[in-house]
Amino acid sequence: MFTKHSLPKTGLLLFALYVTSATGAGDIPDGPYLGQQPPGSDPVLFAPGIVSDELANRDLAMLPDGSEVYFSANSRNFDLSTILVSYRGTHGWSEPRVAPFAKDKRFKYLEPAISPDGAKFFFVATERDQNNNDIWVMDRSGGQWGKARKLGEHINTDASETFPSITDNGTLYFSRASENPRIEHIYRSRL
């Protein structure tokens, strides 16, 4: 089982985060940004002990209303990688736990990205014994994420696709590995 205590200690440097609203009480501070100072021009450790804990945390995404926060938790060598989620409720934020869609132990999950309207959730997944990352997507309906599906051949190839980012007009930006393992290119796919 993938647990918080099976990974080495590191933190998450957050350069920018925008949350329209977040309130709550309990173990996790209330207010915008999980009770943290809004982002400025200097990078700071984000939410120590909440998001930035003993895990290798990165790739943070939130619903536009600030009610759900998702982030990757990885071992240093990425042998273990999953996406955690924390929900904001009437009594504050829940303890982060493995997201429901990221529990298949055959896969590594990382790099969550939510569309600006909160209707689509993109992430990267690959089978543990493979090095070919692919981009997946889920649609939101009735306050829940639907079934995850891999994007088609126009996005996913035999190369490794990573770092999905979606704009408000539906354009998907992502990176794709080239034949040179040290070089990746940024691609754009318009809706």
Side-chain angles (χ1 to χ4, degrees):
M1 171 144 178
F2 191 91
T3 65
K4 289 176 66 173
H5 302 292
S6 64
L7 300 176
K9 292 185 178 185
T10 62
L12 171 72
L13 284 179
L14 182 66
F15 291 90
L17 171 66
Y18 173 74
V19 180
T20 56
S21 68
T23 60
D27 294 338
I28 300 176
D30 62 358
Y33 308 104
L34 297 171
Q36 307 301 299
Q37 289 293 320
S41 59
D42 295 322
V44 297
L45 188 65
F46 179 71
I50 302 167
V51 173
S52 300
D53 56 14
E54 67 268 13
L55 301 174
N57 306 115
R58 53 176 261 183
D59 313 314
L60 190 135
M62 295 184 101
L63 281 179
D65 68 359
S67 63
E68 298 175 15
V69 60
Y70 296 84
F71 55 96
S72 298
N74 317 284
S75 60
R76 287 186 191 270
N77 59 7
F78 286 86
D79 285 342
L80 297 173
S81 183
T82 195
I83 295 174
L84 301 179
V85 59
S86 182
Y87 302 97
R88 180 175 48 94
T90 56
H91 299 291
W93 288 91
S94 68
E95 189 72 27
R97 60 182 180 249
V98 176
F101 62 88
K103 292 184 177 183
D104 188 335
K105 295 178 184 180
R106 296 173 299 161
F107 288 86
K108 294 185 278 188
Y109 302 88
L110 60 155
E111 300 167 3
I114 298 174
S115 61
D117 63 3
K120 294 195 178 298
F121 188 115
F122 295 84
F123 62 94
V124 172
T126 186
E127 290 190 53
R128 290 195 184 281
D129 59 348
Q130 304 291 318
N131 287 324
N132 182 16
N133 293 315
D134 285 321
I135 299 173
W136 295 62
V137 66
M138 299 179 295
D139 297 311
R140 193 163 182 92
S141 177
Q144 301 292 321
W145 294 114
K147 185 175 180 174
R149 64 191 184 281
K150 191 186 297 190
L151 292 179
E153 294 176 0
H154 56 286
I155 301 295
N156 293 314
T157 65
D158 290 337
S160 187
E161 287 79 25
T162 54
F163 299 107
S165 180
I166 188 87
T167 67
D168 58 0
N169 70 2
T171 301
L172 177 67
Y173 287 87
F174 60 97
S175 64
R176 180 178 291 151
S178 68
E179 290 182 17
N180 181 334
R182 294 180 177 237
I183 297 176
E184 291 188 12
H185 299 283
I186 297 173
Y187 286 79
R188 173 182 68 193
S189 178
R190 291 192 172 112
L191 184 64

